[in-house]
């Protein structure tokens, strides 16, 4: 069983952690997501830490549910605006569109994700049967038996906790990650957590938020899997 978890990593592009039969196999980095997917074309399941499914006229239930279950880590989830907002060309137009649809504006921090979001959605729309959306903090909390994680992923204690959770489920990250070594530690950990959820999807043991996914305009499920 081959699966890959992918996380965005700033100017480096995208980092992927590959599992074979649930164990760490290798890490990969590519500037373009499409290139990373090409290198993992034989993966049974691909998961990406990025909003993929969008709805037309409201905030997504997936994000609301994720915030509700994460407790102290709820701030790691940003509310994903309706699809028409992401079609705008600049922040002010997008913020105005969001206000007109939902009654609220989006932040500049959220709008900064638009290049990565569009890139990920383009890949998902081409291969929605194999690609799923995840949120690593939801995955880590599931590894911890549903118990909220008390330490931020960028802190020393937070990274030690997340690495120990991965080890406990059979994902032992090596001390040297090859091409992924320059990638920030939290991005590698997030990709590994995403890969754990990919393995669960592949084996039919995953769950999703919400339990009954919404659907986008094309009938595709809009959910966060873990």
């Amino acid at each position: 069983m081959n699966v890959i978890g992918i996380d965005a990593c700033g100017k480096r592009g995208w980092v992927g952690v590959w599992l074979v039969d649930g164990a760490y196999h290798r890490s990969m980095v590519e500037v373009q997501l499409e290139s990373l997917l090409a290198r993992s074309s034989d993966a049974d399941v691909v998961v990406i830490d990025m909003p993929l499914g969008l709805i037309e006229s409201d905030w997504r239930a997936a994000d609301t549910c994720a915030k509700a279950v994460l407790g102290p880590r709820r701030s790691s989830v940003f509310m994903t605006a309706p699809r028409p907002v992401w079609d705008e060309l600049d922040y002010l137009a997008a913020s105005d569109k969001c206000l007109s649809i939902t009654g609220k504006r989006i932040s500049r921090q959220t709008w900064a994700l638009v290049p990565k979001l569009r890139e990920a959605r383009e890949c998902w729309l081409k291969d929605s049967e194999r690609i799923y959306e995840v949120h690593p903090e939801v995955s880590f909390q599931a590894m911890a038996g549903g118990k909220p994680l008390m330490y931020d992923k960028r802190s020393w204690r937070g990274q030690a906790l997340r690495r120990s959770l991965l080890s406990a489920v059979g994902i032992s990250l090596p001390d040297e990650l090859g091409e992924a070594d320059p990638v920030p530690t939290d991005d590698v950990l997030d990709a590994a957590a995403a890969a754990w959820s990919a393995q669960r999807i592949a084996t039919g043991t995953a769950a999703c938020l919400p339990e009954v996914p919404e659907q986008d305009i094309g009938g595709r499920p809009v959910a966060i899997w873990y």
Side-chain angles (χ1 to χ4, degrees):
M1 187 75 68
N2 300 329
V3 301
I4 183 171
I6 298 174
D7 188 58
C9 53
K11 294 181 179 179
R12 291 281 295 169
W14 304 85
V15 58
V17 169
W18 185 289
L19 304 183
V20 174
D21 295 333
Y24 176 86
H25 178 60
R26 59 176 170 147
S27 302
M28 301 176 286
V29 180
E30 288 284 354
V31 173
Q32 300 297 324
L33 178 57
E34 192 170 6
S35 299
L36 185 56
L37 293 175
R39 294 178 62 185
S40 57
S41 59
D42 60 343
D44 298 295
V45 174
V46 176
V47 301
I48 303 174
D49 173 21
M50 187 62 60
L52 300 177
L54 304 177
I55 60 176
E56 297 299 301
S57 60
D58 206 347
W59 305 99
R60 305 190 320 165
D63 303 318
T64 302
C65 290
K67 281 182 172 290
V69 303
L70 284 178
R73 302 271 70 82
R74 66 175 66 87
S75 63
S76 65
V77 180
F78 75 88
M79 297 299 294
T80 308
R83 183 196 56 76
V85 174
W86 302 97
D87 290 338
E88 297 295 337
L89 298 179
D90 58 56
Y91 167 70
L92 291 178
S95 187
D96 287 344
K97 178 62 70 69
C98 193
L99 179 64
S100 70
I101 296 175
T102 69
K104 296 182 179 180
R105 295 186 178 275
I106 61 170
S107 67
R108 288 188 179 274
Q109 182 181 14
T110 297
W111 180 248
L113 292 174
V114 69
K116 288 285 198 298
L117 183 144
R118 288 173 177 168
E119 188 179 359
R121 268 182 56 78
E122 182 178 352
C123 293
W124 177 67
L125 291 172
K126 293 177 182 177
D127 195 5
S128 59
E129 294 295 320
R130 189 173 68 115
I131 298 176
Y132 295 77
E133 176 185 341
V134 296
H135 192 292
E137 288 299 286
V138 175
S139 298
F140 276 122
Q141 185 164 305
M143 286 182 217
K147 182 179 179 181
L149 276 62
M150 300 307 297
Y151 308 112
D152 184 87
K153 67 179 184 178
R154 294 181 178 84
S155 69
W156 178 262
R157 294 181 75 176
Q159 292 185 356
L161 171 60
R162 285 160 178 78
R163 193 164 181 177
S164 68
L165 287 171
L166 289 167
S167 181
V169 296
I171 304 174
S172 298
L173 298 175
D175 292 333
E176 295 185 10
L177 292 171
E179 63 184 82
D181 267 351
V183 174
T185 302
D186 58 297
D187 290 331
V188 176
L189 293 172
D190 282 352
W196 176 77
S197 291
Q199 180 73 15
R200 283 162 56 90
I201 293 168
T203 57
T205 58
C208 68
L209 300 172
E211 290 185 10
V212 179
E214 295 177 288
Q215 292 188 340
D216 70 3
I217 196 171
R220 291 169 289 262
V222 180
I224 292 172
W225 294 83
Y226 64 96

